[in-house]
Amino acid sequence: MSKLYILAAVFLFWSALAASLMQAQLVASPMHKMRVPTYRSLPIRATVIAKSNAAATATSYN
């Protein structure tokens, strides 16, 4: 049973290492620098979509 744990740990280690190396290779590639920004990569700004010019009215419930 301990051999199974060792094999699982080795497999997970190599998988994580391969994933991190692929990520580093992607970031270093020139195609990554030329990508078009998407809505997820743009900074979030508060934008006013519509303004309401109606006067505020107070409603009382009696």
Side-chain angles (χ1 to χ4, degrees):
M1 195 70 169
S2 62
K3 284 186 180 181
L4 183 64
Y5 288 134
I6 292 172
L7 286 173
V10 168
F11 176 76
L12 289 174
F13 171 75
W14 283 112
S15 299
L17 183 65
S20 64
L21 289 175
M22 282 190 281
Q23 181 70 26
Q25 188 178 10
L26 174 67
V27 170
S29 70
M31 291 299 293
H32 182 73
K33 295 180 179 70
M34 294 188 328
R35 69 188 174 116
V36 177
T38 60
Y39 72 97
R40 292 187 182 198
S41 63
L42 292 174
I44 298 173
R45 289 181 293 227
T47 56
V48 177
I49 296 173
K51 284 189 176 179
S52 174
N53 290 332
T57 59
T59 305
S60 62
Y61 298 99
N62 288 336

